[in-house]
Amino acid sequence: SFYAVYPYGEDVILVGNELELILPYSHVAEGVGVCHSTDLKVGYTTEKTLNLYNVFGYLKVNVAEEGVKQVVIRSIKAQNFLAGKASVIINENAAPEVTVLDGVPHVVLVPAEGQATIATGTYYIPVVPGTMEQGVSIRFKKGLKMYVKEDEAPVTVARNGVADLGTLAAGGS
């Protein structure tokens, strides 16, 4: 039998068909799109073919302005974890099951190495699947100012699904 975790992480522990690992809260804006270095996929097989399955769902945000230094997305209800220490059960040819053991209710998008700001564009930030019953708070820093956008409507992120949080702009929306 073969197990796979992509991307590789030194902190991953495999016991039986269960992985214990850290689902990161900090994501680097490596280019517009999915934050690939933190987008975890797992798989298991006893055959010659190995299928990889996404562990996360995604929060979609559009950074519409230049000069944004950081984006913080936080579940308004602190018990809704978006990242942290987790157990991932890997099933053969089936979606993984994720349980957060010690989580944090936020994720952060930061500039790529060597960059002072996040490039404009649409980003898909990997998060633990689940529902944020009381909505989300999005904060982004531009220059010396911090902008806040809150939505108290429930936000559900399915495994391998996308929840669109809209556009970040200093003028609103």
Side-chain angles (χ1 to χ4, degrees):
S1 60
F2 299 95
Y3 288 90
V5 177
Y6 179 83
Y8 169 76
E10 291 183 14
D11 60 340
V12 175
I13 299 169
L14 177 64
V15 178
N17 70 332
E18 185 175 348
L19 291 172
E20 191 172 287
L21 47 80
I22 303 296
L23 305 175
Y25 71 90
S26 183
H27 302 276
V28 178
E30 306 160 286
V32 176
V34 174
C35 299
H36 292 289
S37 66
T38 53
D39 186 23
L40 186 66
K41 294 169 181 47
V42 297
Y44 167 76
T45 189
T46 56
E47 307 294 325
K48 292 181 182 179
T49 303
L50 175 68
N51 295 314
L52 292 176
Y53 294 89
N54 287 331
V55 172
F56 294 114
Y58 304 91
L59 295 177
K60 176 183 173 185
V61 293
N62 182 29
V63 178
E65 295 190 23
E66 293 182 359
V68 173
K69 295 181 178 183
Q70 181 183 63
V71 176
V72 178
I73 302 170
R74 177 178 297 279
S75 172
I76 292 175
K77 183 177 178 181
Q79 291 78 19
N80 296 136
F81 300 127
L82 301 181
K85 184 177 181 182
S87 164
V88 178
I89 296 176
I90 304 173
N91 302 303
E92 187 170 14
N93 297 319
E97 301 168 37
V98 181
T99 304
V100 177
L101 305 172
D102 184 18
V104 294
H106 64 278
V107 290
V108 180
L109 182 65
V110 297
E113 188 174 331
Q115 301 296 312
T117 61
I118 297 169
T120 59
T122 301
Y123 294 90
Y124 296 84
I125 302 168
V127 296
V128 174
T131 298
M132 293 162 273
E133 295 95 357
Q134 296 176 4
V136 295
S137 167
I138 305 170
R139 299 174 187 269
F140 67 99
K141 187 174 183 179
K142 181 178 176 187
L144 298 175
K145 290 189 174 185
M146 182 69 77
Y147 297 90
V148 179
K149 175 182 175 181
E150 287 195 354
D151 185 351
E152 295 180 1
V155 175
T156 298
V157 182
R159 189 199 63 76
N160 206 35
V162 176
D164 189 346
L165 300 181
T167 298
L168 306 181
S173 85

